[in-house]
Amino acid sequence: MAHLFRDLSLGHSKREPSKPTPLVTGNNNNGSFSSELPSPLGQLDAQLTDSELRLTAFEIFAAACRTSAGKPLAIHTAASLSHSESMSNNSPNSPSSPALQRSLTSAAASKMKKALGLRSPGSGSKKSPGSGSSSGSGQGKSKRPVTLGDLMRTQMRVPETVDSRVRRALLRISAGQVGRRIESVVVPLELLQQLKSSDFADPQEYEAWQKRTLRVLEAGLLLHPRIPLEKSNISGQRLRQIIIGAYERPLETGRNNESMQVLRSTVMSLACRSIDGLEACHWADGIPLNLRLYEMLLEACFDVNDEASIIEEVEELMEHIKKTWPILGINQMLHNVCFTWVLFNHFVGTGGVEMDLLYDANNQLSEVAKDAKATKDPEYAKILSSTLSSILGWAEKRLLAYHDTFNRSSIDMMQGIVSIGVSAARILVEDISNEYRRRRRENVDVARSRIDTYIRSSLRTAFAQRMEKADSSRRASKNHTNPLPVLVILAKDVGELAINEKHVFSPILKRWHPFAAGVAVATLHACYGNELKQFISGLSELTPDAVQILRAADKLEKDLVQIAVEDAVESDDGGKAIIREMPPYEAEAAIANLVKIWIRMRIERMKEWVDRNLQQETWTPLENKDGCAPSAVEVLRIIDETLDAYFQLPIPMHPALLPDLITGLDKCLQYYVTKAKLGCGSRNSFIPTMPALTRCTVESKFQGFGKKKDKSPSIQKRNSQVATVNGENMFGVSQLCLRINTLQQIHLQLESVEKRIITHLRNSESAKTEDFSDSTGKTFDITPSACIEGIQQLCEAVAYKIVFHDLSHVLWDGLYIGDPSSSRIDPFVRELERNLLLISESVHERVRTRIITDIMRASFDGFLLVLLAGGPSRAFSRQDSPVIEDDFKALKDLFWANGDGLPVELIDKFSVTVRGILPLFRADTESLIERFRRVTLEAYGSSARSRLPLPATSGQWNPTEPNTLLRVLCYRNDEAASKFLKKTYNLPKKL
């Protein structure tokens, strides 16, 4: 049996680390096991309580556990063995069974226990009866069970006094009927004869026991006999009379008593009726009595203190429980059905939280499925059908409305219940149903059909609940301003329901139905569609409610169709079958097209206005005290007018088509920004080209002392080129600053425009909360980046224009020409400071730091360009290094402005390159040459060993870059440097 179950301990379950919320309450007040489910194994006509059935089952178990036919019963505990041994000292048929007498405390965890996958009761606060727990019999503190008999008594909650009395009676019966098989013994009859009033605590207890025993005989022989009994049967009539008489006056049961002889004769006459001629007594093997008694025995496998746990000794216990099969008429198939039910019933009784019980019941059900295919026994089919119907009924009660039963935290429980429900349905339909056998040639997928039913049923129920909730919400908000229509609220709720279905339930149900999510959204689509159709049929004009409902329906439909398509992406038809179940809702496509035409015409007209206004724009700062060009003010005004006009349109799709309008306005505004910066130049427009490399003539700077007019022809050429670029077609610094301010103002105004759009949406009759809470389709996407890019370009243009064009006479034409100590940076700093003051007063405060930072960067670039590419009129010795460093410090101090200027961190960030190169001017020539050789070899590899290649000019100065080191050497006023350059590259002294 162990192979039927998983090798998994529930105490270390891999399925679910935490217990789900109980579905039912499975414990009664006294701690014994109970379940909300009636037993499907049949209800007895006899008035026997569960407690009386349990005592009867225990008596049968005790009687059946004999080693073999003819041997005395072996149900002794270790404490009672001495008494039984003294009764049969020399008998070869010892009353003690070695299998029953061995101590259970030495037994390891059984294989069946592990196979069942159920947790050990010893892992919690409660302990197994086999591990020293109390018996639960109410007899006070019990002893530790040392034999299987003790354990069974404890598990079945049989008091020790009752157990002792039964054992004594069974010993007497066994001694008097040596060699007789247990199935030929009517146990209640023999107990009636063996036990007297003196065996009980008081006469009342004896009378109650006798009546219970007679009721057992009545149930087994009259009410539920194995072989049908006719009402005219004389023995049956006589037994009824005896039982009725015993209720009035206790029956005398002495061995030679006449009433006992009559009872024995009558009982044996009824019990020994046989169809097959075999010698056997049929007194407890009639359905449903046998199944209910067997159910009581199987219950003993569960810990009496924790109904979710199977005891450690279950394997040994089950071996002996099976010894009752001949008495009860049980076989393997009936056992499988009963055990499946007991496992499932315990799952229900624990409140549905012990998932391993459910999984094991499902696994046991797979064995039942095999049995169902192998037999066509009508009695078995009836029992199986009743059991499976009970399981399926319980499961479907929850699955037909699974949205009310399960949630994200209990999804594993749902999967287990679906699995056992589908398994039960399959057996019922495929192996029991005659209708299915007749239609077997057709392709019937039981699992898919059931899941389809569950999905549609549960979602219809959930939809009805959402509909009622929406009605209540509408009524509750009727006094509010602009309350949402019911169908709008419902559309939102249905959308959320669909998303929840897709992410929570569909992944589970997809195991049995490949298109679970598709079926779900198709059901929701139909439910909502029915409500929407009724609404549209009564719609005669476009009302505010109609606007909202149509928009909400359109959004919902798109969401549902998307889920259906995604769910069916791997299907053969691409989801067409599901989509066919979703006929489109009526949409306002014509209105939408008209609105799009209106948007297109407005955008085209606006573009014409942009062109006309830019042609008339003069960019004169004195006329614009607000710091923004009149053309930009006009363009922003046109955007506001266009938005106002759009939201006044009586249409049901303002949010849906708003992205089209915003995109058009965005492109128009980007067009304006592009035109506004066009032709203003950029960083590269003003940086001069570097002159060719030359070498210094030693002492040349002294010979040329004070000859500032001997400028490099290359520089003159570049300056003339800059002049052509920056001629009359280019704007001055003040005009460029106005353009910067205009782009900055547009960028700032966009935020206000977007806020006004949200305000329009809030006031729009066709909007819902998510329409203005989400910025998608309601913001300008390309204009802000165009403004930022334009401001960046114009700031650089201003910075490099000032440094390399407007101040070229004090930078290119003056700095370090001739003797560096006589042509220092002070004039450039003074002129630059004047320009900085002008810029600070002209540009928008949010751009001020940006443009001053660009001017600083341009100044640093100009300073390096003078040092590394200033032409042959400049030369530096090591003694000039302090002068250069002091000048650069003066330049940085200008931007620091004693703490009122740029942050030190920002200045340090942009001065890293200069600070890294200045130490090269202090270095001796030999170390510079050696460093240049090394980095050149590293850069060019082995090909540079024979002849050093001339490094290319990258313009990215770096103290470890070959071209930077070479330029320091070119401007080094040193004999060694000049010789090295002459020998290595044959550089000229002049251009």
Side-chain angles (χ1 to χ4, degrees), residues 636-682:
L636 290 171
R637 183 188 65 78
I638 294 170
I639 289 176
D640 283 342
E641 289 181 355
T642 304
L643 287 169
D644 288 341
Y646 173 75
F647 281 101
Q648 289 174 8
L649 293 175
I651 57 171
M653 66 282 292
H654 281 130
L657 293 179
L658 180 61
D660 291 348
L661 177 61
I662 298 300
T663 300
L665 296 176
D666 202 7
K667 289 181 179 178
C668 280
L669 211 47
Q670 184 207 25
Y671 178 71
Y672 177 89
V673 172
T674 303
K675 285 281 189 178
K677 69 177 184 177
L678 189 64
C680 294
S682 63

Side-chain angles (χ1 to χ4, degrees), residues 232-354:
S232 59
N233 187 284
I234 296 175
S235 297
Q237 294 175 356
R238 185 181 300 124
L239 181 58
R240 287 190 184 92
Q241 293 172 358
I242 294 173
I243 293 173
I244 292 171
Y247 284 159
E248 297 176 357
R249 189 165 65 90
L251 188 69
E252 295 182 9
T253 57
R255 177 179 296 274
N256 298 319
N257 188 282
E258 181 181 352
S259 60
M260 188 62 205
Q261 295 298 326
V262 172
L263 176 63
R264 175 177 292 279
S265 171
T266 303
V267 166
M268 296 308 294
S269 172
L270 292 170
C272 292
R273 291 179 304 131
S274 175
I275 301 175
D276 50 20
L278 297 177
E279 181 186 353
C281 285
H282 302 284
W283 67 272
D285 53 354
I287 295 174
L289 176 63
N290 60 339
L291 301 179
R292 292 303 309 281
L293 291 171
Y294 193 63
E295 182 182 5
M296 292 295 173
L297 292 173
L298 292 178
E299 292 286 352
C301 295
F302 290 85
D303 182 14
V304 70
N305 295 316
D306 181 4
E307 67 271 13
S309 302
I310 281 185
I311 59 174
E312 295 289 349
E313 301 82 7
V314 62
E315 188 172 20
E316 296 169 277
L317 194 61
M318 190 65 78
E319 288 177 6
H320 287 79
I321 287 175
K322 288 184 178 182
K323 292 183 179 181
T324 65
W325 285 11
I327 299 175
L328 298 176
I330 300 295
N331 55 28
Q332 186 66 50
M333 290 192 301
L334 289 174
H335 165 82
N336 289 342
V337 173
C338 292
F339 198 46
T340 299
W341 167 249
V342 169
L343 287 168
F344 178 78
N345 197 34
H346 268 265
F347 164 72
V348 175
T350 60
V353 297
E354 293 295 348

Side-chain angles (χ1 to χ4, degrees), residues 678-693:
L678 189 64
C680 294
S682 63
R683 175 180 183 272
N684 294 329
S685 302
F686 301 99
I687 295 180
T689 52
M690 288 180 281
L693 292 172

Side-chain angles (χ1 to χ4, degrees), residues 422 426 430 444-452 454 512-513:
V422 167
R426 275 190 177 134
E430 296 177 2
V444 179
D445 189 335
V446 177
R448 181 167 175 171
S449 174
R450 298 313 303 164
I451 298 301
D452 192 281
Y454 301 154
W512 295 276
H513 197 305

Side-chain angles (χ1 to χ4, degrees), residues 337-559:
V337 173
C338 292
F339 198 46
T340 299
W341 167 249
V342 169
L343 287 168
F344 178 78
N345 197 34
H346 268 265
F347 164 72
V348 175
T350 60
V353 297
E354 293 295 348
M355 290 303 299
D356 283 347
L357 286 170
L358 180 64
Y359 292 128
D360 290 318
N362 198 18
N363 286 341
Q364 184 71 15
L365 200 56
S366 63
E367 295 300 309
V368 173
K370 297 176 186 176
D371 295 340
K373 294 182 184 299
T375 182
K376 299 296 180 265
D377 180 10
E379 264 192 346
Y380 171 79
K382 183 178 179 181
I383 297 166
L384 179 58
S385 177
S386 174
T387 304
L388 295 181
S389 296
S390 183
I391 293 174
L392 183 59
W394 185 91
E396 291 198 334
K397 182 178 179 181
R398 285 140 187 87
L399 295 176
L400 288 171
Y402 58 78
H403 290 85
D404 294 338
T405 312
F406 306 103
N407 52 41
R408 191 181 296 272
S409 65
S410 60
I411 199 65
D412 282 351
M413 184 191 301
M414 177 184 174
Q415 181 172 353
I417 292 175
V418 171
S419 179
I420 199 167
V422 167
S423 297
R426 275 190 177 134
I427 299 171
L428 281 169
V429 174
E430 296 177 2
D431 300 316
I432 298 177
S433 171
N434 293 325
E435 176 68 18
Y436 178 81
R437 291 194 184 101
R438 287 195 295 268
R439 300 172 55 194
R440 198 152 197 157
R441 294 180 182 178
E442 298 179 18
N443 185 19
V444 179
D445 189 335
V446 177
R448 181 167 175 171
S449 174
R450 298 313 303 164
I451 298 301
D452 192 281
T453 301
Y454 301 154
I455 293 172
R456 296 184 190 275
S457 170
S458 188
L459 281 168
R460 288 187 187 116
T461 302
F463 179 86
Q465 292 169 350
R466 299 301 193 282
M467 186 72 182
E468 185 177 346
K469 178 184 174 184
D471 278 331
S472 300
S473 178
R474 171 71 176 185
R475 288 193 295 271
S477 62
K478 65 180 179 180
N479 295 325
H480 297 177
T481 304
N482 297 325
L484 291 175
V486 171
L487 288 182
V488 172
I489 300 172
L490 185 62
K492 180 176 180 293
D493 289 347
V494 169
E496 292 173 352
L497 188 61
I499 294 298
N500 186 64
E501 184 75 19
K502 173 186 175 183
H503 293 300
V504 178
F505 298 115
S506 294
I508 297 299
L509 300 175
K510 201 174 183 70
R511 173 181 168 188
W512 295 276
H513 197 305
F515 313 122
V519 171
V521 296
T523 304
L524 290 175
H525 186 276
C527 290
Y528 189 83
N530 290 336
E531 302 298 326
L532 184 65
K533 187 177 180 180
Q534 292 180 22
F535 169 77
I536 293 176
S537 65
L539 190 63
S540 58
E541 60 180 345
L542 202 60
T543 63
D545 281 3
V547 169
Q548 289 182 299
I549 289 170
L550 287 172
R551 179 185 175 278
D554 185 60
K555 180 182 183 302
L556 174 64
E557 183 172 46
K558 289 176 181 176
D559 292 343

Side-chain angles (χ1 to χ4, degrees), residues 949-965:
L950 184 66
T953 301
S954 66
Q956 302 297 319
W957 311 126
N958 191 298
T960 61
E961 190 252 342
N963 184 260
T964 302
L965 291 168

